[in-house]
Amino acid sequence: MSAVQSAMSSLVERLWYGRKRPLAFLAPLSWLYRSIAEARRRAAWDARDASLPVPVIVVGNITAGGTGKSPLTAWLVSALASDGWRPVILSRGYGGNAGQYPLEVAAETSPSEAGDEPVMLALSTGCPVVVDPRRRRGADYALEKNLGDVLICDDGLQHYKLPRDLELSVFDGQRGIGNGALIPVGPLREPVSRLASVDFVIVNGKELSEQAMESFVGIDHPAIFSMILEPATLVHLKTGEARAVGDLRGKAVRAVAGIGNPARFFDTLRTLGADVTEAAFPDHHRFRPEDLNSDTDELIVMTAKDAVKCREFAPDNAWSLTVEARLPGPFRDAFLARVRQCSEPLTS
């Protein structure tokens, strides 16, 4: 399975994230994709309900695949809480199937009900998380229950039925916008021109790769900030024991990742000095005990998102690597100022 996933990931890198467009012959499908997406956007925008009485922040991306939205959402929760707000996270709950919505996520909620990312965010942030494919209904629930006074919608940039006050678009600093084409020729869900309407562009990576820099040429946005994801702690899946990430140096590690960009996770473990054997799975993969088989002298290390799905059957050598987002002070100041500005008409 890991070999197949690795081959697919490599294929996507060549087809979407190179300088050329080998799938250009599929351009009519890209045009059709764009036409359908724009028609749905207009219909949803026209049918959207009135604005909500609290600030609504949407975190998302215009590219397919993982970009670091969840760590950014966790960082926003912390920044807002430190500024006196009571944030609530809204999520579609991708990969989950609850019997009834809205679903308020608790520490013991199964990822099979809520989805892996909502459970991870509930555990890591300690703030209320509400799952509902109809995000407006989830927002109304959060307000009816008085769960908080600011709403953060995780991965909802294209969910236009939800009114919003602020939008943040996240990019992978190594990949950028790829070849700049829409699905299926390239990785874009929406044209690059969509960025003109977002409030902040966040680039996940210490610095843009040369290829990503080239892909960003022509994007003129007044608020582009860099985000760094730093390894924070190793956490034992069974006992909750925490260890320093430096303990990975020189260790044989079977790196398990069912995320959008597993290569980034594998590279992170190598920078920590681990001797890595890669085990890549599809994004939001439903793990089974046999997926965690390893040699007796190996440590199994996975992402926090994957760990919430493996707690019940994890072997004794299974650990998760938690990461923390770091963003510059000017972004924090600008972001919080905008949130306060959104609430001013309601309090004046």
Side-chain angles (χ1 to χ4, degrees), residues 52-263:
L52 290 158
V54 299
V56 179
I57 302 156
V58 170
V59 179
N61 55 333
I62 66 168
T63 57
T67 58
K69 295 183 296 295
S70 292
L72 174 60
T73 297
W75 186 94
L76 296 175
V77 165
S78 178
L80 287 164
S82 68
D83 199 50
W85 296 88
R86 294 187 299 123
V88 180
I89 297 173
L90 304 178
S91 176
R92 171 192 172 191
Y94 186 87
N97 185 16
Q100 184 175 355
Y101 294 104
L103 173 66
E104 189 173 346
V105 180
E108 63 275 10
T109 302
S110 170
S112 64
E113 288 185 290
D116 45 26
E117 289 173 350
V119 175
M120 178 193 69
L121 286 168
L123 290 170
S124 63
T125 66
C127 90
V129 177
V130 177
V131 168
D132 197 321
R134 293 166 53 185
R135 290 177 177 86
R136 175 59 191 252
R137 183 172 62 184
D140 290 338
Y141 173 89
L143 297 180
E144 289 169 6
K145 297 294 184 179
N146 192 29
L147 298 181
D149 54 14
V150 58
L151 306 178
I152 306 176
C153 185
D154 181 42
D155 194 15
L157 203 60
Q158 286 79 36
H159 191 82
Y160 288 104
K161 287 185 179 180
L162 178 70
R164 71 279 311 271
D165 299 287
L166 291 176
E167 291 184 325
L168 294 84
S169 182
V170 191
F171 285 93
D172 185 315
Q174 292 297 314
R175 290 175 161 183
I177 61 172
N179 60 21
L182 268 68
I183 295 171
V185 178
L188 295 184
R189 297 174 174 176
E190 296 184 281
V192 174
S193 58
R194 173 70 170 87
L195 296 179
S197 61
V198 307
D199 298 276
F200 298 98
V201 174
I202 307 298
V203 179
N204 179 8
K206 183 173 294 185
E207 58 185 18
L208 291 175
S209 67
E210 180 181 348
Q211 181 175 320
M213 282 290 288
E214 291 181 5
S215 75
F216 271 87
V217 170
I219 297 178
D220 183 17
H221 196 282
I224 300 180
F225 294 93
S226 177
M227 175 177 72
I228 303 170
L229 298 184
E230 296 182 345
T233 313
L234 281 173
V235 180
H236 194 267
L237 264 66
K238 279 192 170 181
T239 67
E241 175 192 354
R243 288 187 182 179
V245 295
D247 287 357
L248 289 176
R249 182 166 298 279
K251 297 290 199 318
V253 168
R254 184 172 189 263
V256 174
I259 57 178
N261 184 9

